[in-house]
Amino acid sequence: MSAGSTTLRSKLLRWLLIPLSLLFVVDAIGSYFLARHLSNRVYDGELMEIARELNLHAKVVNTVPTFDLEKDAERTLLLDQYDDVYYAVRAADGALIAGDAELPRGHAGAAPLAYDGQAHGEPVRIAQIRGTDHGSAPFTVQVAETLVKRHMLANEILIGVILPQ
């Protein structure tokens, strides 16, 4: 009787453990993508705020696009404990007014957006807005940051979801 019950027990375990293991893997993958999405949402908002602040310093003076931000204010605005932060302010024709020339030119369109890109050989997340100086030609303001704190938050969320399972 023990040989038959062991076989039945092992069959039941296989019938339960294999589907549960597959379900766990699918859930872990879904949780990872959800964690990345939530992490991006949180930090994209911060990047947009920096872009809006930088846009306030883009002006047209005598038909010449200018950018006036003191170095101390720039350092404070771009200070981040974990990530490198870059910015670029471009005129309507794409000419760099201020910031980092290595940031790729932005996407067309007026809506604020956030997207993945590359800067200085590293993957970055870029927030972009189009602003104007009181009805004059639009500026494109981009702020990019490396992905260290985004990955840290996504991993914390993932561990918080997966560990109890």
Side-chain angles (χ1 to χ4, degrees):
M1 187 178 240
S2 66
S5 64
T6 305
T7 306
L8 181 59
R9 185 176 292 142
S10 64
K11 282 182 181 180
L12 283 173
L13 280 174
R14 277 191 302 243
W15 289 346
L16 290 173
L17 289 181
I18 291 173
L20 283 175
S21 297
L22 290 174
L23 185 61
F24 178 77
V25 169
V26 169
D27 184 49
I29 292 169
S31 295
Y32 171 74
F33 285 107
L34 178 63
R36 274 191 46 198
H37 172 73
L38 292 174
S39 174
N40 278 339
R41 242 176 105 181
V42 168
Y43 290 117
D44 285 352
E46 289 182 11
L47 283 182
M48 287 292 178
E49 287 303 314
I50 295 171
R52 286 184 187 97
E53 180 64 32
L54 291 173
N55 182 59
L56 295 175
H57 298 275
K59 309 232 182 283
V60 176
V61 178
N62 297 327
T63 71
V64 176
T66 61
F67 184 76
D68 65 345
L69 181 65
E70 295 179 14
K71 284 294 178 191
D72 289 339
E74 177 183 319
R75 214 174 5 260
T76 301
L77 197 59
L78 302 178
L79 181 67
D80 191 290
Q81 181 179 357
Y82 299 103
D83 288 300
D84 294 327
V85 182
Y86 313 103
Y87 76 95
V89 179
R90 297 183 189 278
D93 64 359
L96 184 69
I97 299 169
D100 195 326
E102 232 184 274
L103 278 181
R105 286 190 179 189
H107 295 284
L113 66 136
Y115 55 95
D116 296 321
Q118 290 273 327
H120 299 280
E122 291 187 75
V124 294
R125 186 77 174 163
I126 302 170
Q128 172 184 307
I129 64 170
R130 299 263 303 201
T132 60
D133 175 28
H134 306 292
S136 66
F139 296 93
T140 301
V141 179
Q142 297 170 290
V143 180
E145 71 180 359
T146 53
L147 307 176
V148 174
K149 68 182 171 215
R150 290 168 189 266
H151 289 163
M152 287 171 45
L153 179 58
N155 289 339
E156 286 178 28
I157 293 170
L158 186 60
I159 289 169
V161 169
I162 297 295
L163 201 55
Q165 294 181 12

